Amino acid sequence: MLETHERFVASGPLRIWTERVGDPELPAVLMVMGSAAQGVSCPDALVGRLVERGVQVIRFDHRDTGRSSVVDFDAHPYTIADLGRDCLAVLDGYGLRSAHVAGASLGGMIAQWLGVHAPDRVRSLTMISSSPVQAWARALAGEPADLDRLPPPAPAYLAHQAAGLPPGVESDVALFRVFNGPVRPFDEPAARAMLELALSRATDPAAAANHERAAWRPEPDLLAPLWSITAPTSVVHGDQDPLLPLGHGEALAAAIPGAVLHVVPGMGHVMTSPGLPEEIADLIRL
């Protein structure tokens, strides 16, 4: 039985729900999930495999998700950099000077911010299904060239978005089926169970939409060059990602000196295929 400990930590006035799995004396991996995603979206199988590799794992609910504080975004707007500061607050809450950081999708962009702006807190970086945050920041600053060179979402994802399904678990399951991609089998029961759990523990399910607003807020910090990242870095990306196609991962790996790119055959944008969480856990840089 894995040793598990839940607690809230303070990030300024906010309370951030966290969970630590494994021996607290071991090096830590901080799992940073994507837009609107709670800590429980990080698969238990991935956490268990990482613990088997000899680390403790910390996962948490971003602000505006799960059991963490809900923010009045109109009154107190925030950015990707603020989400990065929440990560540092989690490390502080556990008394950790540094951790291996693994971020998925938007979490990978937050991880990039940490690698640039808090290098002493980052032992290694792993970006999963993510994109160069600097390209998006430049586009917001009126310089879209870098972003324009990256491939657009796949037709299947665009068609799903155009369908305009009502919010709820069924819509989320349909989205995850698209995110899974057409090659690897989609573990619908596992995805549904996770999404139902997330809905049941969300203080305000609608608040998670604020992450998209945060991602599109200009932030000077995000213009800092990714070549300044010094942490050992791995980029993990599926060749069937319908949201951020493989070119995003290739561009991210090319932007960071010494970064290693792991292309995962058949993987989409999520880890909802049997055996995939363990496969990704083995690729996280330790």
Side-chain angles (χ1 to χ4, degrees):
M1 186 70 177
L2 294 175
E3 181 179 348
T4 302
H5 174 74
E6 295 183 32
R7 62 175 296 190
F8 286 91
V9 304
S11 181
L14 306 182
R15 297 174 77 238
I16 304 296
W17 176 89
T18 72
E19 178 189 64
R20 175 170 63 193
V21 183
D23 185 344
E25 299 301 318
L26 293 173
V29 175
L30 181 69
M31 294 299 306
V32 187
M33 303 315 292
S35 178
Q38 301 179 22
V40 297
S41 69
C42 178
D44 290 344
L46 182 148
V47 173
R49 179 63 69 91
L50 282 173
V51 171
E52 289 175 1
R53 293 184 62 193
V55 295
Q56 58 171 307
V57 179
I58 298 173
R59 52 187 173 179
F60 67 98
D61 292 342
H62 293 291
R63 62 174 72 186
D64 276 333
T65 73
R67 298 177 61 196
S68 290
S69 292
V70 173
V71 178
D72 182 342
F73 194 91
D74 291 327
H76 303 285
Y78 56 86
T79 67
I80 289 175
D82 293 309
L83 295 173
R85 295 182 186 98
D86 289 345
C87 294
L88 297 178
V90 173
L91 296 184
D92 291 342
Y94 281 92
L96 293 168
R97 294 182 61 187
S98 63
H100 302 283
V101 177
S105 194
L106 178 66
M109 296 183 180
I110 298 168
Q112 292 166 54
W113 182 89
L114 291 168
V116 171
H117 296 284
D120 57 322
R121 310 299 300 272
V122 176
R123 293 189 177 206
S124 71
L125 283 174
T126 303
M127 274 76 79
I128 305 163
S129 306
S130 195
S131 183
V133 70
Q134 190 181 32
W136 297 81
R138 284 178 173 168
L140 289 174
E143 303 174 20
D146 288 351
L147 189 61
D148 288 345
R149 283 192 284 267
L150 297 174
Y157 171 76
L158 296 176
H160 173 85
Q161 292 299 92
L165 298 178
V169 170
E170 293 306 320
S171 177
D172 291 342
V173 169
L175 175 61
F176 270 60
R177 184 179 293 107
V178 173
F179 275 165
N180 185 79
V183 174
R184 295 201 182 204
F186 175 50
D187 190 346
E188 180 172 332
R192 183 181 297 276
M194 183 276 290
L195 292 165
E196 289 176 345
L197 173 61
L199 181 61
S200 72
R201 62 192 299 281
T203 302
D204 180 0
N210 288 335
H211 286 186
E212 184 172 357
R213 299 173 70 186
W216 287 103
R217 279 185 62 81
E219 170 56 73
D221 278 4
L222 303 181
L223 292 168
L226 296 181
W227 54 253
S228 65
I229 291 175
T230 57
T233 298
S234 291
V235 175
V236 178
H237 216 100
D239 65 3
Q240 298 295 316
D241 192 322
L243 178 63
L244 300 172
L246 179 57
H248 290 257
E250 293 171 335
L252 179 54
I256 301 173
V260 176
L261 173 64
H262 299 282
V263 178
V264 182
M267 177 182 171
H269 192 68
V270 291
M271 294 174 276
T272 49
S273 187
L276 185 57
E278 294 92 337
E279 186 176 342
I280 300 306
D282 288 341
L283 296 176
I284 291 175
R285 194 80 170 251
L286 300 181

